[in-house]
């Protein structure tokens, strides 16, 4: 069982450091701005590393990854700066991903340094005692139970208990004449961990659950159109593996689910929470993990800057810049505005759903955001290709930009402009050390 991180709100109540504007533009010989770090050998910054497209492509390591991490640890294998791996994947436990990364990078990685797309679900305690339908791949029951859910039920289990519901694949249709009489508890929420394998089965059964208020097998009813809560992790439309072109991600599955629901009901599918990059909720939780590391290592210097290193403009860059905007817009001395459940983007379309709040008390699980800035660093080893004929979208672009982000996030061209563009993750580490004037002890 994964050990819980201590709440940080009471432990880290110091005043916020003064804010500095984050530089934008291509990387270059920029002067360091954190001489205090170099003098004391203590970090005032932390790294948020994406995994797919930054450290690996599918199961193949990117050569620059090991070189980068040799610079981030001392001879004893201890990290010199706080590091969190922030991935939109959700198909395994944090411990499993930490073991994979340790083998890949040749340095010891703790599960407390790994943030899966579903990690913030630990805070949604109001659902932990309820029966929830979970969709995705991997050890779904283990993942759900590790997050705190006591009564998860998988798509496969639901299909087994209600065999007449899955009828798209003629070869899998059951040889029964009447619905199953097996009793099932009411399903009170749907949790989308990631893209499933059999999309037609998952789409059908999730729609059944939504249109029957949690009693799949019952007839659909108009009163069901205000559906039970849906919590979704990972909104990536596409991701990169060994193929030459990006592959469908969970965001593509969500597009299908949303459009089927609207086609049937005439209404928008509404989410209780959207998490995974680019949501603010994800970045605040990642900052929580960064500060927990600093606390554990007794690094007293405040962590002022988060460097988010990623390969996807619409998730990694958009999310880092969105969080930076949130940090900049919040007063250094006054209270922050409450973080909305779905942590949505800055400029939302008119049709955007209005999610319910996840319940009182969940925000107390996190310390208030305290970083001064979040800087986006884009690498060229994944989704973003600098040689592509499609230009990087920007605020001055006159062409119509195709927004690959989620429906409930409005497109703001300013948020897809990376602060820095570098060839790979090794160059990203070098850049940050120069910017921070950081000299490892």
């Amino acid at each position: 069982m994964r050990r819980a991180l201590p709440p940080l709100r009471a432990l880290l109540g110091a005043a916020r450091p003064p804010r500095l504007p984050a530089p934008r533009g291509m990387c270059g010989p920029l002067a360091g701005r954190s001489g205090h770090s170099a003098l004391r050998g203590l970090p005032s910054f932390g790294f948020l590393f994406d995994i797919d497209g930054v450290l690996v492509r599918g199961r193949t390591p990117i050569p620059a990854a090991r070189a980068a991490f040799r610079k981030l640890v001392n001879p004893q294998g201890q990290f010199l700066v706080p590091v969190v791996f922030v991935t939109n994947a959700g198909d395994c436990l944090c411990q499993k991903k930490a073991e994979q990364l340790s083998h890949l990078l040749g340095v010891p990685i703790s599960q407390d340094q790994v943030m899966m797309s579903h990690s913030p679900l630990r805070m949604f305690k109001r659902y932990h005692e309820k029966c929830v339908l979970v969709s995705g791949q991997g050890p779904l029951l283990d993942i759900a139970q590790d997050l705190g859910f006591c009564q998860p039920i998988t798509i496969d289990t639901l299909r087994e208990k209600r065999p007449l519901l899955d009828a798209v694949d003629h070869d899998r249709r059951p040889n029964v004449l009447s619905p199953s009489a097996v009793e099932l508890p009411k399903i009170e929420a749907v949790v989308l961990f990631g893209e499933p394998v059999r999309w037609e089965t998952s789409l059908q059964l999730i729609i059944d659950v939504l249109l029957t208020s949690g009693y799949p097998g019952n007839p659909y009813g108009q009163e069901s159109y205000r559906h039970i809560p849906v919590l979704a992790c990972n909104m990536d439309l596409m991701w990169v593996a060994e193929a030459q072109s990006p592959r469908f991600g969970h965001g593509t599955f969500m597009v299908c689910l949303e459009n089927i629901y609207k086609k049937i009901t005439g209404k928008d599918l509404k989410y209780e929470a959207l998490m995974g990059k680019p949501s603010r909720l994800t970045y605040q939780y990642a900052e929580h993990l960064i500060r927990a590391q600093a606390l554990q290592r007794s690094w007293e210097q405040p962590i002022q800057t988060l460097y988010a290193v990623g390969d996807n403009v619409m998730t990694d860059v958009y999310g880092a810049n969105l969080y930076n905007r949130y940090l900049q817009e919040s007063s250094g001395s006054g209270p922050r505005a409450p973080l909305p459940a779905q942590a949505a983007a800055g400029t939302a379309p008119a049709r955007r759903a209005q999610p319910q709040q996840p319940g009182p008390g969940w925000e107390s699980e996190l310390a208030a955001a305290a970083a001064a800035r979040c800087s986006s660093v884009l690498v060229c080893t994944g989704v973003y290709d600098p040689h592509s004929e499609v230009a990087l979208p920007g605020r001055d672009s006159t062409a119509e930009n195709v927004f690959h982000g989620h429906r409930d996030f409005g497109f703001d061209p300013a948020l897809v402009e990376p602060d820095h563009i570098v060839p790979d993750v090794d160059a990203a580490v070098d850049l940050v050390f120069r910017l921070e004037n950081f000299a490892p002890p």
Side-chain angles (χ1 to χ4, degrees), residues 140-176:
L140 290 174
L141 292 180
D142 290 341
I143 293 169
Q145 289 166 359
D146 183 66
L147 291 167
F149 294 98
C150 299
Q151 299 185 69
I153 180 173
T154 66
I155 294 287
D156 286 341
T157 298
L158 178 57
R159 178 181 177 273
E160 177 186 338
K161 303 299 183 184
R162 295 287 184 269
L164 294 184
L165 298 183
D166 187 18
V168 173
D169 185 341
H170 293 197
D171 292 334
R172 295 220 304 171
R173 286 182 179 178
N175 296 318
V176 294

Side-chain angles (χ1 to χ4, degrees), residues 314-329:
M314 293 298 181
T315 54
D316 301 309
V317 172
Y318 199 99
N321 290 345
L322 176 63
Y323 193 55
N324 185 65
R325 173 180 289 178
Y326 171 65
L327 296 174
Q328 299 299 317
E329 289 178 350

Side-chain angles (χ1 to χ4, degrees), residues 156-376:
D156 286 341
T157 298
L158 178 57
R159 178 181 177 273
E160 177 186 338
K161 303 299 183 184
R162 295 287 184 269
L164 294 184
L165 298 183
D166 187 18
V168 173
D169 185 341
H170 293 197
D171 292 334
R172 295 220 304 171
R173 286 182 179 178
N175 296 318
V176 294
L177 299 178
S178 60
S180 169
V182 176
E183 290 296 327
L184 285 175
K186 178 184 179 180
I187 297 172
E188 298 189 67
V190 176
V191 179
L192 306 177
F193 283 127
E195 62 272 18
V197 175
R198 282 187 166 271
W199 285 29
E200 79 283 359
T201 297
S202 293
L203 290 169
Q204 177 70 80
L205 269 60
I206 292 170
I207 289 292
D208 287 336
V209 168
L210 296 179
L211 296 187
T212 61
S213 297
Y215 292 103
N218 284 2
Y220 293 172
Q222 292 288 334
E223 69 277 3
S224 299
Y225 290 170
R226 184 172 184 176
H227 58 75
I228 63 175
V230 180
L231 299 91
C233 315
N234 179 1
M235 296 166 279
D236 285 354
L237 188 73
M238 296 181 289
W239 67 291
V240 294
E242 289 87 351
Q244 293 298 309
S245 301
R247 304 292 84 197
F248 290 162
H250 190 219
T252 307
F253 176 80
M254 292 169 65
V255 168
C256 296
L257 180 65
E258 292 156 8
N259 281 277
I260 292 170
Y261 183 85
K262 186 162 188 177
K263 193 72 173 179
I264 293 174
T265 68
K267 300 178 184 296
D268 283 332
L269 177 69
K270 297 184 179 182
Y271 294 94
E272 178 84 356
L274 292 169
M275 61 201 74
K277 296 174 289 186
S279 75
R280 283 207 314 258
L281 173 60
T282 288
Y283 285 85
Q284 185 169 348
Y285 193 90
E287 184 185 347
H288 166 84
L289 298 181
I290 285 282
R291 293 161 66 191
Q293 286 182 44
L295 186 68
Q296 187 177 39
R297 294 288 298 276
S298 299
W299 289 329
E300 297 178 358
Q301 183 158 281
I303 301 301
Q304 299 185 33
T305 308
L306 304 175
Y307 289 95
V309 182
D311 69 302
N312 192 325
V313 171
M314 293 298 181
T315 54
D316 301 309
V317 172
Y318 199 99
N321 290 345
L322 176 63
Y323 193 55
N324 185 65
R325 173 180 289 178
Y326 171 65
L327 296 174
Q328 299 299 317
E329 289 178 350
S330 301
S331 168
S333 56
R336 291 180 180 274
L339 188 69
Q342 86 293 3
T347 308
R351 68 175 183 275
R352 174 176 150 196
Q354 297 297 325
Q356 303 170 30
Q357 293 297 316
W362 75 274
E363 289 183 284
S364 66
E365 296 293 313
L366 288 177
R373 67 193 71 84
C374 183
S375 182
S376 54

